[in-house]
Amino acid sequence: MEEGSAGALADTVARAAVALRKARHVCVLTGAGMSAESGIPTFRDALTGLWSRFRPEELATPEAFERDPKLVWQWYEWRRELVRQSQPNPGHYALAELARRVPRLTLVTQNVDGLHQRAGSSDAIEYHGNILRDRCTREAAVASRADWSASGLPECAACGAPLRPDVVWFGEPIPSGPMLRAADAASHCDLFLSIGTSALVYPAAGLAEAALGAGATVIEINPNPTDLTPHAHLALQGPSGQLLPALLAALRDG
Ligand code: OAD
């Protein structure tokens, strides 16, 4: 990084810290970039993103699961293993600390990896579910697995119906609790932080729009520009695992 651009970034971090110091309710939306530095691949990064190697319509839709549950389960078991082997990064810990330093913070995550919770953000709103949980396809509730399964696929311990990962697939609605809580926070916050998301997938991407519409200050943290960048009041261009701790340090020093 050139000295000039490093100086500009430090200046933007300092301005973001000033905005945070004034904020009464901070709403944060995180996406896959937040966990990139924990070794979990994003979806849309050109070389490393999951959707550059896999087709979402074959793996992440209800139709795909109906067609080939074994294939879908194999893919999710592989992703679960990646999640189990990963650790929260300094960005996750910085956000958990930020929640203790502002009057109110609502954390909404599109990530299904549970890393925010493991870093101490126990009340994170899981907008797209959690990959480590199973859900019963009959009872539509979180379920545990039967010890023995006739089909070779995970089955519900209570009723024997097939289990699926407790995540939101393409074409499915967001669960109403997370959807309502997130919409309420986005439209009532005075500062909105969009971190590590391409801001392309709705309704999550609409949360920043709701915050902008309600007059909140919008700050983005992302190494790459997104559709949100031109509308954000401040854009911190770099990895969240470095910039969030830097933001916390600026907040502490101010
Ligand atoms: P994407 O893969 O679409 O976007 C990841 C974003 O993270 C990109 O804008 C990257 O530039 C940025 N990024 C990469 N490394 C970063 C880092 N170290 N620090 C900060 N940012 C970084 O992921 P999402 O926006 O989360 O949905 O995708 C949204 C949804 O689409 C996902 O929840 C998933 C996916 O299909 C479902 O599975 C329903």
Short mmCIF file of all heavy atoms in Angstrom, two decimals, residues 50-51 53-62 64-65 67-68 71-76 79 165 169-170:
data_model
loop_
_atom_site.label_atom_id
_atom_site.label_comp_id
_atom_site.label_asym_id
_atom_site.label_seq_id
_atom_site.Cartn_x
_atom_site.Cartn_y
_atom_site.Cartn_z
N LEU A 50 -17.21 -19.64 -3.47
CA LEU A 50 -17.87 -20.94 -3.67
C LEU A 50 -18.64 -20.99 -4.98
O LEU A 50 -18.66 -22.01 -5.67
CB LEU A 50 -18.83 -21.22 -2.50
CG LEU A 50 -18.17 -21.53 -1.15
CD1 LEU A 50 -19.23 -21.65 -0.05
CD2 LEU A 50 -17.35 -22.82 -1.24
N TRP A 51 -19.27 -19.86 -5.34
CA TRP A 51 -20.08 -19.89 -6.57
C TRP A 51 -19.22 -19.81 -7.85
O TRP A 51 -19.75 -19.83 -8.95
CB TRP A 51 -21.13 -18.77 -6.58
CG TRP A 51 -22.18 -18.85 -5.49
CD1 TRP A 51 -22.85 -17.79 -4.95
CD2 TRP A 51 -22.72 -20.01 -4.83
NE1 TRP A 51 -23.74 -18.21 -3.99
CE2 TRP A 51 -23.68 -19.57 -3.89
CE3 TRP A 51 -22.49 -21.39 -4.93
CZ2 TRP A 51 -24.41 -20.44 -3.07
CZ3 TRP A 51 -23.21 -22.26 -4.10
CH2 TRP A 51 -24.14 -21.78 -3.20
N ARG A 53 -16.98 -22.17 -8.13
CA ARG A 53 -16.65 -23.60 -8.26
C ARG A 53 -17.88 -24.49 -8.26
O ARG A 53 -17.85 -25.61 -8.74
CB ARG A 53 -15.77 -24.04 -7.08
CG ARG A 53 -14.38 -23.47 -7.14
CD ARG A 53 -13.49 -24.22 -6.18
NE ARG A 53 -13.67 -23.79 -4.80
CZ ARG A 53 -13.41 -24.54 -3.74
NH1 ARG A 53 -13.03 -25.79 -3.88
NH2 ARG A 53 -13.56 -24.06 -2.52
N PHE A 54 -18.96 -24.01 -7.65
CA PHE A 54 -20.17 -24.82 -7.51
C PHE A 54 -21.36 -24.05 -8.05
O PHE A 54 -21.36 -22.83 -8.06
CB PHE A 54 -20.43 -25.14 -6.02
CG PHE A 54 -19.31 -25.87 -5.35
CD1 PHE A 54 -18.44 -25.19 -4.50
CD2 PHE A 54 -19.12 -27.23 -5.54
CE1 PHE A 54 -17.40 -25.85 -3.86
CE2 PHE A 54 -18.08 -27.89 -4.90
CZ PHE A 54 -17.22 -27.21 -4.07
N ARG A 55 -22.40 -24.82 -8.47
CA ARG A 55 -23.60 -24.16 -9.00
C ARG A 55 -24.67 -24.12 -7.90
O ARG A 55 -25.12 -25.17 -7.44
CB ARG A 55 -24.12 -24.93 -10.22
CG ARG A 55 -23.20 -24.79 -11.45
CD ARG A 55 -23.47 -25.90 -12.45
NE ARG A 55 -24.84 -25.88 -12.92
CZ ARG A 55 -25.28 -25.14 -13.95
NH1 ARG A 55 -24.44 -24.38 -14.61
NH2 ARG A 55 -26.54 -25.18 -14.32
N PRO A 56 -25.07 -22.89 -7.50
CA PRO A 56 -26.05 -22.80 -6.41
C PRO A 56 -27.33 -23.57 -6.68
O PRO A 56 -27.90 -24.18 -5.77
CB PRO A 56 -26.32 -21.29 -6.29
CG PRO A 56 -25.65 -20.64 -7.46
CD PRO A 56 -24.64 -21.59 -7.99
N GLU A 57 -27.77 -23.61 -7.94
CA GLU A 57 -29.05 -24.30 -8.22
C GLU A 57 -28.94 -25.81 -8.04
O GLU A 57 -29.95 -26.50 -7.94
CB GLU A 57 -29.59 -23.92 -9.61
CG GLU A 57 -28.69 -24.21 -10.79
CD GLU A 57 -27.67 -23.10 -11.06
OE1 GLU A 57 -27.28 -22.37 -10.12
OE2 GLU A 57 -27.24 -22.98 -12.23
N GLU A 58 -27.71 -26.35 -7.95
CA GLU A 58 -27.54 -27.80 -7.73
C GLU A 58 -27.36 -28.13 -6.25
O GLU A 58 -27.38 -29.29 -5.87
CB GLU A 58 -26.31 -28.31 -8.49
CG GLU A 58 -26.55 -28.45 -9.97
CD GLU A 58 -25.27 -28.76 -10.74
OE1 GLU A 58 -24.23 -29.03 -10.11
OE2 GLU A 58 -25.32 -28.70 -11.97
N LEU A 59 -27.13 -27.08 -5.43
CA LEU A 59 -26.73 -27.35 -4.04
C LEU A 59 -27.48 -26.55 -2.99
O LEU A 59 -27.51 -26.95 -1.83
CB LEU A 59 -25.22 -27.03 -3.89
CG LEU A 59 -24.29 -27.88 -4.73
CD1 LEU A 59 -22.92 -27.25 -4.81
CD2 LEU A 59 -24.21 -29.30 -4.18
N ALA A 60 -28.06 -25.44 -3.37
CA ALA A 60 -28.61 -24.55 -2.35
C ALA A 60 -30.01 -24.08 -2.70
O ALA A 60 -30.34 -22.89 -2.57
CB ALA A 60 -27.66 -23.35 -2.15
N THR A 61 -30.84 -25.03 -3.15
CA THR A 61 -32.26 -24.72 -3.40
C THR A 61 -33.08 -25.90 -2.87
O THR A 61 -32.58 -27.04 -2.81
CB THR A 61 -32.59 -24.55 -4.90
OG1 THR A 61 -32.42 -25.83 -5.54
CG2 THR A 61 -31.70 -23.51 -5.57
N PRO A 62 -34.37 -25.68 -2.55
CA PRO A 62 -35.21 -26.80 -2.11
C PRO A 62 -35.34 -27.85 -3.22
O PRO A 62 -35.38 -29.05 -2.94
CB PRO A 62 -36.57 -26.15 -1.84
CG PRO A 62 -36.35 -24.68 -1.82
CD PRO A 62 -35.06 -24.38 -2.51
N ALA A 64 -33.06 -28.67 -5.46
CA ALA A 64 -31.82 -29.47 -5.49
C ALA A 64 -31.87 -30.54 -4.41
O ALA A 64 -31.48 -31.69 -4.64
CB ALA A 64 -30.61 -28.56 -5.29
N PHE A 65 -32.39 -30.18 -3.23
CA PHE A 65 -32.45 -31.13 -2.11
C PHE A 65 -33.43 -32.26 -2.42
O PHE A 65 -33.18 -33.42 -2.11
CB PHE A 65 -32.86 -30.39 -0.83
CG PHE A 65 -32.78 -31.24 0.40
CD1 PHE A 65 -31.56 -31.74 0.85
CD2 PHE A 65 -33.92 -31.55 1.12
CE1 PHE A 65 -31.48 -32.53 1.99
CE2 PHE A 65 -33.86 -32.34 2.27
CZ PHE A 65 -32.64 -32.83 2.70
N ARG A 67 -34.20 -33.31 -5.42
CA ARG A 67 -33.62 -34.09 -6.52
C ARG A 67 -32.50 -35.02 -6.03
O ARG A 67 -32.47 -36.19 -6.37
CB ARG A 67 -33.05 -33.10 -7.55
CG ARG A 67 -33.22 -33.53 -8.98
CD ARG A 67 -32.90 -32.41 -9.96
NE ARG A 67 -31.92 -31.44 -9.52
CZ ARG A 67 -32.15 -30.12 -9.49
NH1 ARG A 67 -33.32 -29.65 -9.85
NH2 ARG A 67 -31.20 -29.28 -9.10
N ASP A 68 -31.59 -34.48 -5.24
CA ASP A 68 -30.39 -35.24 -4.86
C ASP A 68 -29.94 -34.88 -3.44
O ASP A 68 -28.93 -34.21 -3.25
CB ASP A 68 -29.27 -34.96 -5.88
CG ASP A 68 -28.15 -35.98 -5.80
OD1 ASP A 68 -28.08 -36.71 -4.78
OD2 ASP A 68 -27.33 -36.04 -6.73
N LEU A 71 -26.18 -35.52 -2.49
CA LEU A 71 -25.21 -34.55 -3.00
C LEU A 71 -25.24 -33.28 -2.15
O LEU A 71 -24.20 -32.74 -1.76
CB LEU A 71 -25.52 -34.21 -4.46
CG LEU A 71 -24.63 -33.16 -5.10
CD1 LEU A 71 -23.27 -33.76 -5.42
CD2 LEU A 71 -25.26 -32.59 -6.37
N VAL A 72 -26.45 -32.81 -1.85
CA VAL A 72 -26.59 -31.58 -1.06
C VAL A 72 -25.98 -31.79 0.32
O VAL A 72 -25.21 -30.96 0.81
CB VAL A 72 -28.07 -31.15 -0.98
CG1 VAL A 72 -28.25 -30.01 0.00
CG2 VAL A 72 -28.57 -30.75 -2.37
N TRP A 73 -26.30 -32.96 0.93
CA TRP A 73 -25.75 -33.21 2.27
C TRP A 73 -24.22 -33.31 2.25
O TRP A 73 -23.55 -32.81 3.14
CB TRP A 73 -26.36 -34.48 2.90
CG TRP A 73 -27.48 -34.15 3.83
CD1 TRP A 73 -28.78 -34.54 3.72
CD2 TRP A 73 -27.40 -33.34 5.01
NE1 TRP A 73 -29.52 -34.02 4.75
CE2 TRP A 73 -28.70 -33.28 5.57
CE3 TRP A 73 -26.38 -32.65 5.66
CZ2 TRP A 73 -29.00 -32.57 6.73
CZ3 TRP A 73 -26.66 -31.93 6.82
CH2 TRP A 73 -27.96 -31.91 7.34
N GLN A 74 -23.67 -33.93 1.19
CA GLN A 74 -22.20 -34.03 1.10
C GLN A 74 -21.56 -32.65 1.10
O GLN A 74 -20.57 -32.40 1.77
CB GLN A 74 -21.79 -34.75 -0.19
CG GLN A 74 -21.76 -36.25 -0.07
CD GLN A 74 -21.58 -36.92 -1.42
OE1 GLN A 74 -21.47 -36.28 -2.46
NE2 GLN A 74 -21.57 -38.24 -1.41
N TRP A 75 -22.18 -31.76 0.34
CA TRP A 75 -21.62 -30.40 0.22
C TRP A 75 -21.71 -29.66 1.56
O TRP A 75 -20.78 -29.01 1.99
CB TRP A 75 -22.37 -29.64 -0.88
CG TRP A 75 -21.70 -28.36 -1.27
CD1 TRP A 75 -20.48 -28.23 -1.85
CD2 TRP A 75 -22.23 -27.03 -1.12
NE1 TRP A 75 -20.21 -26.89 -2.07
CE2 TRP A 75 -21.27 -26.14 -1.64
CE3 TRP A 75 -23.42 -26.52 -0.62
CZ2 TRP A 75 -21.45 -24.76 -1.65
CZ3 TRP A 75 -23.61 -25.15 -0.63
CH2 TRP A 75 -22.64 -24.28 -1.14
N TYR A 76 -22.87 -29.83 2.22
CA TYR A 76 -23.02 -29.15 3.52
C TYR A 76 -22.11 -29.77 4.58
O TYR A 76 -21.59 -29.07 5.45
CB TYR A 76 -24.50 -29.11 3.95
CG TYR A 76 -25.18 -27.93 3.29
CD1 TYR A 76 -25.81 -28.06 2.07
CD2 TYR A 76 -25.10 -26.66 3.86
CE1 TYR A 76 -26.38 -26.96 1.44
CE2 TYR A 76 -25.66 -25.56 3.23
CZ TYR A 76 -26.31 -25.72 2.02
OH TYR A 76 -26.84 -24.63 1.40
N ARG A 79 -18.78 -28.22 4.10
CA ARG A 79 -18.74 -26.84 4.61
C ARG A 79 -18.78 -26.83 6.14
O ARG A 79 -18.14 -26.00 6.79
CB ARG A 79 -19.91 -26.04 4.02
CG ARG A 79 -19.69 -25.73 2.53
CD ARG A 79 -20.81 -24.89 1.97
NE ARG A 79 -20.99 -23.64 2.68
CZ ARG A 79 -22.13 -22.94 2.70
NH1 ARG A 79 -23.19 -23.39 2.06
NH2 ARG A 79 -22.21 -21.82 3.37
N PRO A 165 -30.14 -29.09 6.40
CA PRO A 165 -29.40 -28.06 7.14
C PRO A 165 -30.34 -26.89 7.46
O PRO A 165 -31.21 -26.56 6.66
CB PRO A 165 -28.31 -27.61 6.15
CG PRO A 165 -28.31 -28.62 5.04
CD PRO A 165 -29.65 -29.27 5.02
N TRP A 169 -32.24 -21.35 1.79
CA TRP A 169 -31.80 -21.63 0.42
C TRP A 169 -32.40 -20.60 -0.53
O TRP A 169 -33.39 -19.92 -0.21
CB TRP A 169 -32.24 -23.04 0.01
CG TRP A 169 -31.36 -24.13 0.56
CD1 TRP A 169 -30.02 -24.05 0.81
CD2 TRP A 169 -31.75 -25.45 0.93
NE1 TRP A 169 -29.55 -25.25 1.29
CE2 TRP A 169 -30.59 -26.12 1.38
CE3 TRP A 169 -32.97 -26.15 0.92
CZ2 TRP A 169 -30.61 -27.45 1.81
CZ3 TRP A 169 -32.98 -27.47 1.34
CH2 TRP A 169 -31.82 -28.11 1.79
N PHE A 170 -31.83 -20.53 -1.73
CA PHE A 170 -32.37 -19.61 -2.75
C PHE A 170 -33.84 -19.94 -2.99
O PHE A 170 -34.22 -21.11 -3.08
CB PHE A 170 -31.58 -19.73 -4.05
CG PHE A 170 -30.22 -19.10 -3.95
CD1 PHE A 170 -29.08 -19.87 -3.78
CD2 PHE A 170 -30.08 -17.72 -3.97
CE1 PHE A 170 -27.83 -19.29 -3.66
CE2 PHE A 170 -28.83 -17.12 -3.85
CZ PHE A 170 -27.71 -17.90 -3.70
#
